[in-house]
Amino acid sequence: MQIVILGSGNIATQWGKAFLAAGHHITQVYSRTLANAAALAKLLSSQAIDNLADLHQDADLYVLALADAAIPTLLPSLPKVKGLVIHCSGATDMALLQDFENYGVAYPVQSFSKEVDISFTQIPFGIEANSKQNETLLFDLFASLSNKTFACNSEQRLAIHVAAVFANNFSNALFQVANELLSQHNLPFNLIRPIILETAAKVQNKLPKDVQTGPASRNDEITIRKHLQFISDNNEWQLIYQQITNLIKKRG
């Protein structure tokens, strides 16, 4: 398949390498900053462009590997190509692409970094398209990367995206709170890495509510008050602790 990638960031890099490894040809990489496009294009044996007027209009697939806010900004300048135009955003409705003849979405339920190579085989990809033919094309394409493709409309995709923010982004922010608390008492973050891994491992086979532990789950008010007193010099941490404690109690 002939593929054009619009973007040069984390998703563009990881998807580009995965497409290339699966035998597809990345014909062009677009970025508003030519140096960024050139860096990725070199990696993918592709052509770098920073002007949409230079876009190849005969590619099979155009991947908008862009930040959510950048997608509507770019679309008015994107030529009305005949190939399939897709974005990979969890929070952007597919209808945003409706001015194109062929369009769809392939949403990966995963976070990406340029520097960290990742195996695509176990990443779920939510697929949506404006026609059965385009849906089949996307299922066939992403089956060459992953074993976990599934049909997913825009509302379902948004639900997954919000859930992923709770599970991934918010939990990571709490890891940082834990790190700062430990640092205040001259303790290393390494001390809680094993329990983080154990917590994540448990929910691979069970529902979170079935493996919840801690003082809130057992209504241990003495420990809860002691904890709140211990972090009383940080109102933000106290608020987070109290709200999550109440959430756990309600689900107990």
Side-chain angles (χ1 to χ4, degrees), residues 87-238:
H87 71 66
C88 46
S89 166
T92 302
D93 197 288
M94 184 180 72
L96 192 66
L97 303 177
Q98 64 185 353
D99 287 343
F100 295 91
E101 182 177 339
N102 300 291
Y103 59 94
V105 182
Y107 170 56
V109 189
Q110 183 58 275
S111 59
F112 296 89
S113 299
K114 283 184 181 181
E115 302 79 11
V116 180
D117 286 333
I118 191 167
S119 172
F120 276 64
T121 57
Q122 296 301 308
I123 296 176
F125 279 90
I127 301 298
E128 184 179 14
N130 71 318
S131 70
K132 190 64 179 178
Q133 180 180 353
N134 288 331
E135 181 184 78
T136 299
L137 190 155
L138 286 176
F139 269 109
D140 290 345
L141 171 63
F142 283 91
S144 70
L145 305 183
S146 170
N147 299 322
K148 295 188 175 182
T149 55
F150 63 100
C152 179
N153 63 37
S154 290
E155 183 178 3
Q156 290 173 321
R157 187 169 62 255
L158 184 57
I160 297 168
H161 194 254
V162 176
V165 167
F166 273 104
N168 178 35
N169 306 134
F170 289 177
S171 62
N172 192 67
L174 294 178
F175 296 158
Q176 180 57 26
V177 170
N179 179 50
E180 291 171 14
L181 193 155
L182 290 168
S183 295
Q184 286 181 1
H185 298 276
N186 300 312
L187 294 165
F189 187 67
N190 277 343
L191 290 174
I192 63 169
R193 282 194 165 109
I195 198 171
I196 290 172
L197 289 175
E198 176 64 16
T199 301
K202 285 178 180 177
V203 296
Q204 300 308 307
N205 300 302
K206 297 181 180 179
L207 292 175
K209 67 181 180 63
D210 295 332
V211 294
Q212 185 69 59
T213 61
S217 67
R218 57 180 182 268
N219 287 308
D220 184 350
E221 291 296 336
I222 293 175
T223 299
I224 290 170
R225 286 196 296 271
K226 187 179 293 186
H227 286 176
L228 288 169
Q229 179 59 37
F230 189 73
I231 58 174
S232 59
D233 60 340
N234 191 311
N235 292 335
E236 188 177 58
W237 291 359
Q238 275 195 319

